[in-house]
Amino acid sequence: MPTTAMNGYDLFQHLGVSPVINASGIYTDLGGSRLSPKAWAAAEAINNHFVRMTDLLDKSGERIAELLGVEAARITPGAAAAIFLGTAACLAGNDGDKSQQLPDVTGMKRDVLIQAGHRYKYDRQVAMTGAALREVGSQNGTRPDQLEAAIGECTAAILHPAHLDGKPGTLTLEQVVKIARARGVPVIVDAAYMNYPTSIMGDYARRGADLVCISAKYFGGPNAGGFIMGRKDLIQAVSNVHFTRYESGKYLKLGRPLKMDRQTIIAVLVALEEWLAMDHEARFASYRRQVAMLEQRLSGLMGLKAEPKCFTMDERFIDEPVNCLLLTFDGKSAPQVARQLEESSPPIIAILEGDKIGIVMDVLKDDEVTYIGDRLVEVMSE
Ligand SMILES: *Cc1c(COP(=O)(O)O)cnc(C)c1O
């Protein structure tokens, strides 16, 4: 395939896949985010050089810990990987034999607790290590005495999803930490998208979480990037279960399939540095400008109502900060319009929710917003 002469669009076409216009925001299935020119340039620059991966992982982790004001950190291939590796670190500690024995948990602490009201899609990563996920309390809630009673000899960790922290009936992170600390049980927080305001990224560790999992897809990093941060001994234990020194060391470590490229590692670090230094007000202003652009293009169209909204990371439409235009229809059905957008060439993938369509600006360029506006005008006049 004559790749050098081709742009991205041609490359996709040559393979027989269609590039899509991503009006949905950051989704793993759509490729995550768009790497910034700086992150891309860093990945390209490092492509020319080799490095000991152990050194790169140690030093990039130290740099992240310094940036976020936490004890230690380590880059992982995503937040789901961070949950998996963090759990395995709580099972095996710094014991190489145990890292090799996993996912057979015989003789190890092997239970990971989760409040029943906190069950969510990514808790599945826990069981992949060999650990057993045990629910505490009921859907209606969990009481402190229930969590205390659930902790035993075999308890390896507690998983606490940050986006469900404070859910009515459930114990808050502070309550969980207090109980867990007294029993020496680490608390793992999934804070995959908790990155704005940027100070909250390090806050979970400061609030007592022992390990915190972050996804790079949400801060403009690689789709297969992220990191874990927290207690130094546990981050050390993460390296004991991750992919390096599999051939050269003594142990066949559990995390070998979660290998990383040096280019990805550097892109995670550069994207994080950019995210922390970014003028986020300007980022929001840019979404508002694009929303206004689209609203203007659609103004006066019969049968369509457009409202600036915020499409949140947990997939709800709220008022602020605006990053999306929410469309409702009179005379057409939203699923029908969504289908027509998807059948466009190139296809437009928007958020369809009930009788509404959301056009989300998070990763759209201006010319793509113009294209979406033009298509919507055509669709509405059909
Ligand atoms: C996306 C996401 C993950 C997984 O992150 P990856 O970096 O894609 O592995 C985990 N938890 C939550 C809440 C997420 O939204």
Side-chain angles (χ1 to χ4, degrees):
M1 179 164 32
T3 52
T4 45
M6 288 182 164
N7 62 31
Y9 196 92
D10 291 341
L11 276 167
F12 282 141
Q13 295 271 329
H14 195 86
L15 274 176
V17 294
S18 175
V20 300
I21 304 302
N22 178 4
S24 295
I26 295 165
Y27 282 97
T28 292
D29 282 0
L30 290 175
S33 192
R34 215 193 284 267
L35 285 183
S36 73
K38 213 167 147 187
W40 187 256
E44 186 161 356
I46 215 170
N47 189 42
N48 288 316
H49 304 282
F50 291 90
V51 66
R52 288 191 181 84
M53 295 299 275
T54 47
D55 289 350
L56 182 60
L57 285 164
D58 287 348
K59 293 296 174 190
S60 57
E62 282 171 24
R63 173 90 183 119
I64 288 176
E66 197 179 289
L67 286 169
L68 298 180
V70 298
E71 251 180 65
R74 201 165 180 90
I75 291 178
T76 64
I83 297 166
F84 170 82
L85 292 168
T87 303
C90 291
L91 301 177
N94 272 310
D95 186 326
D97 287 313
K98 285 185 177 167
S99 176
Q100 170 154 328
Q101 186 189 309
L102 289 173
D104 172 357
V105 291
T106 309
M108 296 182 212
K109 289 187 178 183
R110 56 178 179 276
D111 292 344
V112 174
L113 308 181
I114 188 166
Q115 298 183 60
H118 276 181
R119 292 299 308 271
Y120 75 121
K121 283 184 177 165
Y122 292 93
D123 65 29
R124 159 139 179 77
Q125 320 313 319
V126 167
M128 284 179 61
T129 63
L133 190 68
R134 303 216 180 276
E135 285 185 19
V136 185
S138 72
Q139 275 306 324
N140 297 329
T142 302
R143 295 188 314 270
D145 63 288
Q146 289 177 311
L147 182 59
E148 272 166 22
I151 295 177
E153 290 281 288
C154 284
T155 309
I158 300 172
L159 178 62
H160 192 91
H163 58 284
L164 298 174
D165 186 38
K167 180 178 165 184
T170 63
L171 303 172
T172 63
L173 178 60
E174 280 70 14
Q175 289 176 295
V176 170
V177 163
K178 189 162 170 241
I179 294 165
R181 278 263 168 95
R183 305 288 291 275
V185 174
V187 177
I188 304 172
V189 170
D190 174 1
Y193 57 74
M194 300 300 181
N195 59 23
Y196 186 80
T198 55
S199 60
I200 67 167
M201 295 175 95
D203 278 349
Y204 293 97
R206 288 185 276 278
R207 288 167 61 192
D210 298 280
L211 288 173
V212 183
C213 307
I214 301 273
S215 176
K217 69 179 185 238
Y218 294 122
F219 59 75
N223 200 23
F227 61 92
I228 185 162
M229 64 181 149
R231 251 168 60 190
K232 201 164 193 162
D233 60 322
L234 288 174
I235 295 299
Q236 181 65 38
V238 168
S239 71
N240 177 46
V241 295
H242 204 185
F243 72 96
T244 53
R245 299 196 205 278
Y246 189 89
E247 291 276 353
S248 64
K250 267 169 65 184
Y251 302 105
L252 303 179
K253 298 155 78 182
L254 176 76
R256 178 60 181 78
L258 299 180
K259 149 174 169 171
M260 300 194 74
D261 283 304
R262 61 193 189 284
Q263 299 88 339
T264 309
I265 294 170
I266 208 71
V268 169
L269 181 59
V270 171
L272 177 65
E273 285 171 340
E274 283 190 287
W275 182 258
L276 295 175
M278 188 179 290
D279 179 349
H280 288 276
E281 284 311 317
R283 176 167 67 88
F284 291 122
S286 166
Y287 301 151
R288 277 198 304 275
R289 181 183 55 74
Q290 289 181 317
V291 166
M293 220 172 104
L294 184 60
E295 201 178 7
Q296 172 94 39
R297 180 75 178 90
L298 303 178
S299 70
L301 273 188
M302 297 284 285
L304 182 149
K305 190 173 132 231
E307 262 180 301
K309 284 278 178 193
C310 170
F311 185 61
T312 65
M313 296 281 204
D314 55 352
E315 304 183 298
R316 291 171 301 124
F317 290 102
I318 60 173
D319 287 341
E320 292 284 342
V322 166
N323 69 345
C324 132
L325 195 64
L326 187 63
L327 308 175
T328 43
F329 305 90
D330 179 14
K332 273 187 182 283
S333 82
Q336 179 196 347
V337 175
R339 196 171 341 105
Q340 282 177 284
L341 290 177
E342 278 211 47
E343 284 165 1
S344 308
S345 179
I348 297 163
I349 315 288
I351 298 290
L352 171 65
E353 201 182 274
D355 59 352
K356 295 173 164 54
I357 288 177
I359 306 291
V360 181
M361 303 302 168
D362 289 9
V363 297
L364 284 175
K365 294 185 165 177
D366 284 3
D367 59 347
E368 294 175 330
V369 177
T370 303
Y371 165 67
I372 292 168
D374 292 347
R375 268 306 289 154
L376 275 166
V377 169
E378 280 171 19
V379 167
M380 291 309 294
S381 60
E382 275 164 18

